[in-house]
Amino acid sequence: MTMSALGEPCVLLKLGEIVLKGKNRELFERRLVGNIRAALKDFDLKIDVRQRHGVIAIFLPAGTGVEMADQVAQRVTDVPGLVWIHRAWRVAKDPDTVVKAAIELIKDRDEVKRGATFAVRSRRRDKRFPLKSNELDRLVGGHINDVYGLPVNLKRPELTVFVEVDRDEVFVFTDGLPGQGGLPVGSSGRALVLMSGGIDSPVAAYRMMRRGLHVDFLHFSGIPFTTSESIYKAYALVRRLDRFQGRSRLWVVPFGKAQQSIRNSGQDRLAVIAQRRLMLKTAEEVAHRIRAGALITGDALGQVSSQTLQNITAQDHAVELPILRPLIGWDKTEIMAEARRIGTLEISELPDEDCCTLLAPKRAETRAKIEDLKLIEKRLDAEELAVQLADSIQEYTL
């Protein structure tokens, strides 16, 4: 059967929790469609993205090959808000055409060659179609059985053929690619990530993208007392994460001299928490300037001395903006697994000069008192210093 007889290759996208949004659903869907179009803008194709009831269809120009359709499908797997991406065939709304397409679709499948069990799952979104879903199941399944002799297993089939009847056409497809799930980026607002070169903060950024936040990134460099290695590393991490949201921005603060002032304050065991509070104050100032509504960190409870419950409380007290910690209950193994899945682990494990090593006392305080930290900040004039640091930031465009 020729491609024209089988149909036209297209991509069918299944939505996740967006379908539960009730009266606000249309807003989420519009945001998602915009994100999909933005993700596909680098393809030199006139791509048509259309909303349907519960699904989004991507139609490609006539004559587009299957390989290009596969590339489009792979690209949109990175767009939060989608749970499944199916490379489908778009065929005419005619039962005989649907049957022929389904038979052709599975012709070269390994499951067919080894006589695996199969099932047909039909969905009739257009109730004007002459066959009900169960009737279409029996029609297509019967012909597949006649042609290939495959046994039917409706409970646990090894191969499933999906048939979805829409307003203007029928989609026929088999398995698909898992999406990112979650909500469309930008549907929950904007936040600022405190981006180190470590494993945790990139994962935290990704998790909040999945909850609909568009995030910008703020990196604290030890310059002039360290090299630019950590900046390059942060830049590489942001580029890697940008595929999930697009239009990412990286801001870098030269933090070395401020760290030196903290170290010279004489409060060695409190230096790490004092530094963290100053970072948060600076991040809050930057967040106000870029209209971000929250800060995001990669803190996980008890992972290091600065992340004890009392120290986290002391850090929260430094700013008024909410601090989101999506990894708070994760252990290191879970965080590393997620970093590996999203492609940031290999970058995070590259060596660099972390600014935090400039303030690494032999024993760090695990129960910092807010009153003691305020005394340090009063001597440093931390509020004014945070403004000065925010004034000194540099933007690194992707």
Side-chain angles (χ1 to χ4, degrees), residues 195-212:
M195 171 67 83
S196 70
I199 296 171
D200 303 341
S201 54
V203 175
Y206 165 76
R207 299 304 300 183
M208 297 316 299
M209 289 178 191
R210 286 187 72 251
R211 298 314 307 158

Side-chain angles (χ1 to χ4, degrees), residues 1 101-110 112-113 148 159:
M1 184 179 291
I103 290 172
E104 180 70 13
L105 178 64
I106 65 172
K107 178 178 65 176
D108 297 322
R109 298 276 303 212
D110 290 339
V112 172
K113 295 176 182 177
Y148 299 117
L159 172 64

Side-chain angles (χ1 to χ4, degrees), residues 177-191:
L177 301 169
Q180 300 298 324
L183 298 173
V185 170
S187 62
S188 299
R190 181 180 293 274

Side-chain angles (χ1 to χ4, degrees), residues 219-270:
H219 176 69
F220 291 85
S221 164
I223 288 176
F225 303 114
T226 63
T227 66
S228 299
E229 286 181 352
S230 72
I231 299 176
Y232 300 144
K233 190 172 176 181
Y235 183 86
L237 287 167
V238 173
R239 279 191 64 86
R240 184 65 179 167
L241 291 168
D242 185 65
R243 75 188 199 275
F244 298 114
Q245 67 169 10
R247 306 183 307 280
S248 300
R249 295 184 295 179
L250 171 64
W251 309 90
V252 176
V253 178
F255 199 60
K257 290 183 178 179
Q259 289 178 290
Q260 188 180 51
S261 297
I262 294 173
R263 183 173 57 187
N264 293 339
S265 69
Q267 299 292 328
D268 189 52
R269 292 188 59 173
L270 289 172

Side-chain angles (χ1 to χ4, degrees), residues 11 40 43 45 47 58 60 68-76:
V11 181
L40 298 176
F43 285 85
L45 292 173
I47 295 174
I58 300 176
L60 307 174
M68 182 59 71
D70 288 340
Q71 291 178 31
V72 169
Q74 188 64 53
R75 178 64 187 93
V76 294

Side-chain angles (χ1 to χ4, degrees), residues 62-122:
T64 302
V66 174
E67 290 185 2
M68 182 59 71
D70 288 340
Q71 291 178 31
V72 169
Q74 188 64 53
R75 178 64 187 93
V76 294
T77 60
D78 290 330
V79 179
L82 303 172
V83 292
W84 283 103
I85 293 87
H86 298 282
R87 240 279 291 115
W89 289 96
R90 179 191 188 192
V91 302
K93 291 179 66 175
D94 170 69
D96 290 339
T97 303
V98 173
V99 168
K100 291 176 183 178
I103 290 172
E104 180 70 13
L105 178 64
I106 65 172
K107 178 178 65 176
D108 297 322
R109 298 276 303 212
D110 290 339
E111 294 92 338
V112 172
K113 295 176 182 177
R114 58 183 172 83
T117 60
F118 85 103
V120 178
R121 311 286 193 209
S122 299

Side-chain angles (χ1 to χ4, degrees), residues 278-291:
L278 182 56
M279 286 179 169
L280 289 168
K281 289 177 182 293
T282 305
E284 182 177 52
E285 178 65 26
V286 174
H288 287 321
R289 298 181 185 188
I290 65 173
R291 298 184 180 180

